Amino acid sequence: MNKPEHDMLDQARQRMLRNDLRGRDITDPDVLRAMMEVPREAFVPEEYRSQAYADGPLPIGSGQTISQPYIVALMTQLLRLNPECEVLEIGTGSGYQTAILARLATRVYTIEKFEELSSGARKVLNRLGVANVEFRIGDGSAGWPEPRCFDRIILTAAAPALPAPLVAQLAERGVVVAPVGCGSSQTLVVAEKFQGKLIERPVCGCRFVRLIGEYGFRQ
Ligand code: SAM
């Protein structure tokens, strides 16, 4: 990348932080720092690099999108991560959200349905020196394939309801953040597990691609 492009992206990242994150309701300093430090341009196809800090999703191939930066920041803030957290992410996509989570948690386990997206994300994260991520390819709606308990779970694709296998893999006092619903009537939900039961709270309307799988949408 040449210097003018580097400087332009740097200014665009500062503008995103000021207008689209701090200017709205992103207040967690750790989340803001991670959003400042992870280069979103590394996760988008070259032809979209100049738009990397625009306030919207962008195509990443396989008919999927990298999420809007504000939504990535909001979902991360809602997770209330600490450095001891083990996080399960369903829908690796470009790996951008994965990289943000990996800065704030001890380990991230991420599942993606499309092999080419998973391997692309793995390459970018390797190049950026992110080493605390485990990748899997498959249907994340059925949970992590080995028995495991997670402190936090994030879904980056919309499910008809919170998938039962994921609820079962959430630790007591754990937090899950997910878009729930279909089409134009999706809601971003945050839920916490108390005595084996989920206490759910709607946060806002949202628009995500569908979670396709056994415990998601069939198509
Ligand atoms: N957060 C990602 C990023 O920053 O690039 C964007 C994720 S994109 C909005 C949603 C992703 O979920 C897509 O890559 C899609 O292939 C994936 N997906 C959909 N259904 C899935 C499933 N059942 N298991 C795993 N991944 C799934």
Side-chain angles (χ1 to χ4, degrees):
M1 190 188 310
N2 57 36
K3 189 165 183 314
E5 190 181 9
H6 178 275
D7 291 351
M8 183 277 284
L9 287 168
D10 203 43
Q11 281 173 19
R13 196 183 308 150
Q14 306 272 5
R15 193 171 54 237
M16 169 193 78
L17 237 87
R18 197 172 52 245
N19 297 348
D20 304 329
L21 306 185
R22 274 201 210 98
R24 289 156 98 174
D25 49 1
I26 308 302
T27 53
D28 183 325
D30 295 329
V31 174
L32 289 166
R33 193 173 320 113
M35 295 293 294
M36 184 62 210
E37 289 172 356
V38 175
R40 192 170 186 252
E41 63 272 24
F43 297 86
V44 301
E46 180 139 19
E47 64 265 36
Y48 294 111
R49 206 151 75 182
S50 63
Q51 300 170 49
Y53 295 100
D55 185 31
L58 290 169
I60 53 171
S62 305
Q64 306 302 318
T65 52
I66 181 172
S67 306
Q68 176 193 15
Y70 169 71
I71 282 288
V72 171
L74 177 64
M75 291 175 85
T76 309
Q77 180 167 271
L78 289 167
L79 281 173
R80 291 188 276 116
L81 292 167
N82 66 61
E84 276 86 54
C85 281
E86 295 211 311
V87 184
L88 174 62
E89 179 191 41
I90 310 302
T92 315
S94 68
Y96 177 61
Q97 172 83 71
T98 321
I100 301 283
L101 297 171
R103 289 215 154 228
L104 302 171
T106 184
R107 197 149 196 88
V108 181
Y109 299 79
T110 185
I111 312 181
E112 170 56 51
K113 184 163 94 72
F114 289 102
E115 197 277 331
E116 59 271 32
L117 291 180
S118 180
S119 62
R122 186 193 291 259
K123 276 190 203 133
V124 177
L125 289 169
N126 277 344
R127 205 169 67 229
L128 295 177
V130 180
N132 57 339
V133 177
E134 276 199 40
F135 297 86
R136 288 291 162 88
I137 297 155
D139 176 11
S141 76
W144 193 252
E146 289 88 47
R148 228 176 203 298
C149 215
F150 299 96
D151 306 299
R152 304 287 187 266
I153 298 181
I154 177 170
L155 280 75
T156 71
L162 288 174
L166 297 178
V167 175
Q169 288 189 331
L170 184 67
E172 182 64 20
R173 307 301 296 255
V175 177
V176 54
V177 173
V180 173
C182 55
S184 55
S185 57
Q186 293 176 9
T187 305
L188 188 64
V189 165
V190 59
E192 202 162 340
K193 203 184 221 183
F194 284 110
Q195 298 172 348
K197 289 210 162 54
L198 277 190
I199 314 288
E200 276 186 41
R201 172 171 73 84
V203 177
C204 59
C206 57
R207 189 95 200 219
F208 279 81
V209 297
R210 287 170 167 223
L211 182 79
I212 306 290
E214 189 180 349
Y215 298 87
F217 291 98
R218 289 307 167 119
Q219 236 351 290

